[in-house]
Amino acid sequence: MAIIRIKNLLLRTYIGFNKEEINKLQDVVINVMIEVDLNHAIMHDSVEHSYDYKIVTKNIITLVQEHKFKMLEKLTQSILDEVMKNEFVRFARVEVDKPHALRFAESVSIELEAKQDKPTKID
C-alpha cells in the first residue's frame, strides 16, 4: 500500500449558516491522506493502474469552490466521498480547517475517515 498526502490545500468557499457568513467567501485548509493499492502500477510501471492525485485534487477544488455549505461537517464528508470514488483507494482521512471560526482559536477542524475493501480491478 502507498500513502498519498495532499497537504494544506488552501481554498475559499461559502461556508456557514449565520447571516454574516452566508454570502461571504471564507478560507478553508484541506488535508487529505489516501491509502491506495499501487502494487500493480509499481510492478509494471503502469500509469493506467495508478492513482492520479492531480485529478482528485482538481475534483476537490471544483467541489469546494462551486458549492455552498452550511456546516464544516458536510464539506468534509463531501470531500471524503469524492476521494473514495476511486477504485484503488482503500482508506482515506480528510481534515478541513476553518481558520478564525472561533474568536480565540487559530481554527476549528473536522476530521472524517472511510475504508473500503473492494478488490483492485486489473485489466
Side-chain angles (χ1 to χ4, degrees), residues 2-114:
I3 303 292
I4 297 172
R5 296 182 196 278
I6 302 167
K7 297 181 181 182
N8 298 322
L9 181 61
L10 177 60
L11 300 175
R12 294 181 60 75
T13 191
Y14 293 99
I15 185 160
F17 51 87
N18 295 326
K19 195 166 101 174
E20 62 274 2
E21 293 178 314
I22 292 174
N23 294 312
K24 177 183 173 190
L25 280 170
Q26 297 182 65
D27 291 336
V28 291
V29 181
I30 300 165
N31 284 283
V32 182
M33 189 278 291
I34 307 163
E35 183 178 299
V36 290
D37 183 352
L38 296 180
N39 291 331
H40 190 76
I42 292 167
M43 283 177 42
H44 300 284
D45 199 17
S46 168
V47 175
E48 295 82 31
H49 294 100
S50 192
Y51 182 82
D52 193 336
Y53 50 83
K54 186 175 181 180
I55 288 175
V56 77
T57 302
K58 284 182 177 184
N59 292 345
I60 291 169
I61 291 168
T62 299
L63 171 76
V64 171
Q65 291 181 338
E66 292 185 0
H67 292 85
K68 289 187 175 188
F69 303 91
K70 289 181 183 175
M71 297 180 58
L72 194 56
E73 294 85 347
K74 175 63 175 175
L75 170 58
T76 306
Q77 184 65 56
S78 297
I79 295 168
L80 183 59
D81 292 344
E82 183 62 41
V83 171
M84 296 303 291
K85 286 180 183 178
N86 186 284
E87 67 194 59
F88 296 110
V89 174
R90 296 292 162 262
F91 175 84
R93 179 178 297 125
V94 174
E95 180 180 23
V96 180
D97 283 85
K98 185 177 176 185
H100 314 294
L102 295 174
R103 185 174 177 195
F104 296 110
E106 184 177 308
S107 70
V108 171
S109 71
I110 299 290
E111 183 176 300
L112 297 173
E113 58 187 46

